[in-house]
Amino acid sequence: MANVIEFTIDGEVQAQGRPRAGKTKYGKTIMYDPPTSRNYKQYVKLVASQYKPETPYEGEIELFVTVYRQIPKSMPKWRQELARAGKLRPVTKPDLDNYVKGIKDGMTGIIWRDDNQVTRLVIEKKYSDSPRAEIKVIERPLPERKKEIEGIT
């Protein structure tokens, strides 16, 4: 039986920024997230924690993400109407995979144990007057060991 969690992350979705390099006071090079990426992951954690299961999911994860970007004010009115009707989608940067990286990182340890459990990922980018990310997580629990062995023999 599958477990399903659905929720919305309100506000403009932040794409995962390029890692930054810095030096410690001992001269060692370290890599870190840019502040906007780090802050967005913290926001995702906060929202996801309101929907978290008793224990993080352990099975296979199917993840559905719909990113709604703000309709630009500079866009001509006729194009804005097409965008509201869903007939015009954003074809500008950032890339979809950069959006989902921060979302997946923010849900790791809250919704699932590790984001390597995601075996199916469906992402869409649309326009809206209300920027947000709509998330749907489906866990396909791992079969019990006994049943798994019985199915093999």
Side-chain angles (χ1 to χ4, degrees):
M1 182 172 158
N3 297 311
V4 180
I5 295 175
E6 293 184 66
F7 60 95
T8 299
I9 304 167
D10 291 318
E12 198 67 50
V13 179
Q14 295 295 312
Q16 175 67 36
R18 298 270 182 233
R20 306 279 190 236
K23 297 241 184 224
T24 67
K25 64 181 180 180
Y26 304 107
K28 185 176 179 181
T29 302
I30 57 168
M31 302 299 288
Y32 63 93
D33 275 340
T36 54
S37 297
R38 185 176 58 243
N39 294 342
Y40 189 70
K41 287 179 190 179
Q42 288 298 322
Y43 177 55
V44 171
K45 279 185 186 296
L46 178 69
V47 174
S49 65
Q50 297 172 31
Y51 301 91
K52 70 179 182 178
E54 284 185 29
T55 59
Y57 290 157
E58 295 283 336
E60 295 178 15
I61 302 293
E62 295 180 15
L63 179 60
F64 300 83
V65 178
T66 305
V67 173
Y68 291 90
R69 295 194 51 193
Q70 180 71 48
I71 298 172
K73 303 272 188 245
S74 61
M75 185 182 279
K77 298 285 183 204
W78 65 273
R79 289 188 63 148
Q80 288 183 19
E81 290 307 315
L82 288 175
R84 282 186 189 92
K87 296 179 180 177
L88 179 66
R89 291 189 179 210
V91 290
T92 57
K93 291 189 177 202
D95 300 344
L96 280 174
D97 53 333
N98 289 331
Y99 278 130
V100 84
K101 285 176 189 174
I103 292 170
K104 284 173 51 185
D105 287 348
M107 294 195 305
T108 296
I110 307 288
I111 302 294
W112 52 66
R113 182 182 39 78
D114 193 277
D115 59 3
N116 65 6
Q117 294 168 245
V118 177
T119 58
R120 181 175 182 212
L121 178 60
V122 179
I123 319 164
E124 290 184 275
K125 187 166 55 169
K126 298 180 178 184
Y127 280 122
S128 174
D129 289 314
S130 303
R132 65 194 183 279
E134 293 181 352
I135 311 294
K136 182 176 182 179
V137 179
I138 302 173
E139 182 211 22
R140 307 272 181 216
L142 297 172
E144 293 179 27
R145 189 71 184 140
K146 183 178 177 186
K147 290 179 184 176
E148 184 180 318
I149 293 168
E150 288 173 358
I152 293 172
T153 56

